[in-house]
Amino acid sequence: MFLKGKSVIITGSTSGIGLAYAKAFAAEGASVVINGFGDEGEIEKERAALAETSGATALYDAADMTKPDEIEAMVKRCHDEIGGPDIVIANAGIQHVAKIEDFPPEKFEAILDINMKSAWYLFRAAVPHMKEKGWGRIISTASAHSLIASPNKTAYIMAKHGIAGLTKTLALETATDGITVNCISPGYVWTPLVENQIPDTMKSRGMTREQVMNDVLLAAQPTKEFVMPDEVAALAIFLCRDEAKAITGANYSIDGGWTAA
Ligand code: NAD
């Protein structure tokens, strides 16, 4: 439990990779702030389970990642109620798959807000608290799409390349402050986000479900297996160890060999 006494905010942690981060950080004793949408009862169950696992406070904050003032208020609440934040993970994300001429502008704006701009507001609010302590860990869930492109995902790929740029820039800005800034770039991870884009891809490419699974999703992943959320979380935990203090400004692929091809 090497994170006892530390607090972590994880955006978009009511589901998928974010929830896996929350469980892994709680297992190391951290006070976890979870965030995201979903069924109130289910979220409360998760929050209570995290508190039990960590033996520390676990909070749920409903901040909407399209609203900078709510992001700032979440960081302030964490600071006032449990201290820190010592660690922040920008993870909330949505996807929409369509050709540019069919891409609804409101989806484009939402993807940039949630997947990219929210990270900037989160980090902006958290960095002063980290500088005060002389210790901090800043992590984003980027994507293989922060490094390479695929058709019909203009907004997502713009946002993820933005996260890669933010990571490098903020790493330089905080390099002498005891803070590291890194991003993790998964290939296809088996979560609701992937499952939910199957129907859109079927429509935009005129394919069956099986064709999308084998010829689109896993076509790019040489291992022919989805990455699992707890494997992504294990990498984030490593980045918080003292042994990882020299790792900053890095973009870690965890993609079954996708970007090696
Ligand atoms: P998911 O759909 O399971 O989880 C997304 C989370 O974001 C949920 O908790 C949801 O409530 C939250 N969220 C959505 N809109 C929000 C908003 N406006 N404000 C606050 N929270 C909001 O998805 P996931 O697959 O776990 O994705 C998590 C991150 O990982 C995303 O940034 C995604 O781009 C990235 N990623 C996923 C994969 C994959 O294959 N699943 C691959 C690479 C990168």
Side-chain angles (χ1 to χ4, degrees):
M1 288 212 160
F2 79 103
L3 294 175
K4 241 185 190 342
K6 297 244 189 291
S7 66
V8 53
I9 298 176
I10 304 159
T11 70
S13 45
T14 52
S15 163
I17 298 169
L19 185 56
Y21 285 136
K23 289 178 177 167
F25 278 80
E28 292 296 348
S31 288
V32 180
V33 181
I34 53 167
N35 158 264
F37 303 141
D39 177 78
E40 233 175 79
E42 286 300 312
I43 292 173
E44 174 49 26
K45 246 193 261 168
E46 292 294 355
R47 191 208 59 76
L50 291 166
E52 195 174 330
T53 304
S54 64
T57 310
L59 300 174
Y60 166 64
D61 193 288
D64 180 341
M65 290 302 111
T66 65
K67 303 203 165 91
D69 54 334
E70 294 188 13
I71 299 169
E72 284 158 14
M74 176 172 64
V75 172
K76 183 174 185 316
R77 179 178 169 210
C78 173
H79 181 72
D80 293 347
E81 294 186 27
I82 55 176
D86 302 293
I87 303 160
V88 290
I89 306 185
N91 171 75
I94 58 168
Q95 175 63 287
H96 186 78
V97 180
K99 290 186 192 315
I100 195 166
E101 62 271 32
D102 301 326
F103 215 99
E106 58 279 11
K107 286 273 183 209
F108 170 73
E109 298 290 346
I111 289 173
L112 289 186
D113 283 351
I114 296 166
N115 297 20
M116 184 181 76
K117 286 161 70 179
S118 70
W120 188 86
Y121 283 106
L122 175 71
F123 302 164
R124 182 174 181 276
V127 159
H129 299 300
M130 294 177 175
K131 282 190 175 173
E132 213 173 283
K133 286 194 174 178
W135 194 94
R137 292 289 187 267
I138 295 176
I139 299 170
S140 303
T141 313
S143 164
H145 282 131
S146 75
L147 299 161
I148 54 164
S150 310
N152 306 323
K153 296 183 177 178
T154 45
Y156 188 86
I157 289 163
M158 283 171 75
K160 294 301 184 181
H161 275 65
I163 288 290
L166 170 61
T167 299
K168 291 195 277 190
T169 312
L170 189 55
L172 297 180
E173 277 184 36
T174 59
T176 57
D177 295 309
I179 300 169
T180 70
V181 189
N182 295 291
C183 61
I184 297 177
S185 285
Y188 280 99
V189 186
W190 189 246
T191 69
L193 186 139
V194 166
E195 216 174 340
N196 293 341
Q197 69 185 273
I198 293 174
D200 280 349
T201 310
M202 285 166 67
K203 210 161 75 189
S204 70
R205 297 211 183 179
M207 289 177 158
T208 66
R209 186 180 169 83
E210 287 61 40
Q211 283 171 323
V212 172
M213 292 277 280
N214 298 324
D215 302 344
V216 180
L217 301 184
L218 292 177
Q221 217 146 276
T223 53
K224 298 295 170 203
E225 281 178 5
F226 284 98
V227 180
M228 297 315 283
D230 60 337
E231 296 164 1
V232 180
L235 182 49
I237 292 287
F238 174 71
L239 290 172
C240 295
R241 292 195 176 275
D242 283 342
E243 295 94 312
K245 72 180 192 310
I247 301 174
T248 194
N251 184 342
Y252 269 95
S253 292
I254 173 163
D255 63 6
W258 178 359
T259 51

